[in-house]
Amino acid sequence: MKKMMLLLILLVCPALSYAACTTAAATATFPAVSTLTAASTANPSSTTTYVNCGASLLTLGADNYIAYQFSAATNLSGTRATLKKDTTTDNIPVRMCTDSACNNELVYGGTYTYNSTALGVLSGVAGSLNFPIPLYFTTVTGQTVAAGTYTVGITITATYRVCVAVGCLIVQTGTLSIPITLTLVLSNDCSTIVAPALSFGSAPLVSSFSTVSQTINVTCSKGSTYTVGLSNGSYYSTTRNMASGTNRLAYEIYKGTSGTNRWGPSGTERWSSTTATTPATTGTVSAFTYTAQILSTQLTPAAGSYTDSVTVDLSF
């Protein structure tokens, strides 16, 4: 009698185990600029966020995706995050986009989905399960703000479905919170001085000239402190002078309308923005209204056209 034996070979494979996908906090710093530049020119920045689901040799399946949702921000204005300085009301809205040209803006509550094709591009190597996903930011112009450090915290909620085994036998799904901190440092600046020409008109005697009052407007950063000086002119000698050839006609320029507080180039003769005729308390333009007089204590010089050149300067 013959006996037959069947050899049963059992292959036992260890259970496959994969940890949940992970991420890390990200930061983005805008180039430091002045408040006036920020008001007129959009300032770009970017950062790279990560969704890391480990390593694999497989090629991503067609139904894999990572969806980014803009779910929270420490400061919001409508559907955009806003950079804010400390506890002040000054803020600068920020556009957050999924592309460098900012054609696809990710607004508050909005979602952008990276599908399998996009994930393959983002991973850099087909089958890699570590996905570096860039985000792009740009400030919104038109804001009148003071100098300082502006920040905002943004939270992105990432919802993912990623195959981690051949044939999608194992699929990673879940959500992640990705915190992103944006920072912008703004400095003080001054950009414009508007100083109209001054004319005393004509008169036969020095005592016949009228006092002239005009205003110089200065554009500087909101809340900045600076001083404005006037040079002594081209023919100074004890007082300012206008010249017609070798002849001189003495005059002076005073702060405000008193006719006693000389406006000059240095020391206490400079005019502080804090005491401007109209200080820029909430905006950027300060007005300095001055008085100019032909000095009546001098002898009337020979007839002629008398001129001088005075320079306005800022120190901040």
Side-chain angles (χ1 to χ4, degrees):
M1 181 178 179
K2 294 182 178 181
K3 294 183 179 180
M4 297 183 62
M5 299 181 63
L6 177 63
L7 180 62
L8 180 61
I9 300 176
L10 300 179
L11 296 178
V12 180
C13 296
L16 296 178
S17 176
Y18 291 87
C21 300
T22 61
T23 190
T27 61
T29 301
F30 293 89
V33 295
S34 75
T35 63
L36 301 181
T37 298
S40 61
T41 306
N43 197 1
S45 186
S46 64
T47 190
T48 299
T49 60
Y50 290 86
V51 174
N52 189 348
C53 299
S56 175
L57 298 177
L58 58 84
T59 301
L60 290 170
D63 53 355
N64 286 270
Y65 67 86
I66 297 175
Y68 266 25
Q69 182 182 47
F70 178 7
S71 54
T74 53
N75 305 300
L76 277 171
S77 176
T79 59
R80 288 172 175 158
T82 58
L83 292 155
K84 188 167 183 172
K85 177 188 175 185
D86 305 323
T87 58
T88 68
T89 58
D90 287 357
N91 62 79
I92 303 172
V94 175
R95 299 182 69 201
M96 177 167 57
C97 304
T98 60
D99 63 300
S100 59
C102 219
N103 293 320
N104 298 308
E105 183 176 0
L106 188 56
V107 298
Y108 177 66
T111 300
Y112 184 82
T113 300
Y114 302 87
N115 59 23
S116 179
T117 301
L119 292 180
V121 172
L122 291 170
S123 68
V125 179
S128 172
L129 301 183
N130 184 29
F131 308 103
I133 301 177
L135 289 173
Y136 303 88
F137 306 91
T138 182
T139 57
V140 177
T141 60
Q143 319 307 315
T144 301
V145 298
T149 299
Y150 288 73
T151 60
V152 64
I154 295 173
T155 300
I156 296 293
T157 298
T159 303
Y160 59 87
R161 180 192 188 280
V162 178
C163 296
V164 294
V166 176
C168 279
L169 296 176
I170 299 177
V171 178
Q172 289 279 50
T173 60
T175 59
L176 296 168
S177 289
I178 306 175
I180 305 171
T181 301
L182 308 184
T183 303
L184 168 64
V185 177
L186 297 180
S187 59
N188 286 319
D189 194 11
C190 294
S191 66
T192 307
I193 301 173
V194 179
L198 169 65
S199 175
F200 289 100
S202 61
L205 302 170
V206 292
S207 59
S208 302
F209 284 99
S210 298
T211 297
V212 176
S213 181
Q214 288 195 162
T215 298
I216 294 176
N217 291 319
V218 177
T219 300
C220 290
S221 297
K222 172 187 172 182
S224 62
T225 300
Y226 54 93
T227 60
V228 184
L230 296 185
S231 73
N232 286 324
S234 302
Y235 310 101
Y236 178 80
S237 177
T238 308
T239 64
R240 291 183 173 97
N241 286 277
M242 289 180 285
S244 177
T246 59
N247 297 315
R248 300 291 182 265
L249 181 62
Y251 74 100
E252 267 307 348
I253 300 175
Y254 303 96
K255 303 172 189 175
T257 58
S258 66
T260 58
N261 194 3
R262 186 177 190 271
W263 194 0
S266 60
T268 58
E269 288 190 345
R270 297 183 68 83
W271 198 342
S272 172
S273 59
T274 60
T275 59
T277 309
T278 307
T281 53
T282 59
T284 59
V285 179
S286 293
F288 299 82
T289 300
Y290 64 88
T291 300
Q293 296 176 344
I294 301 293
L295 300 183
S296 60
T297 54
Q298 65 188 305
L299 296 175
T300 301
S305 179
Y306 288 78
T307 61
D308 190 20
S309 179
V310 175
T311 300
V312 184
D313 76 274
L314 298 178
S315 179
F316 59 96

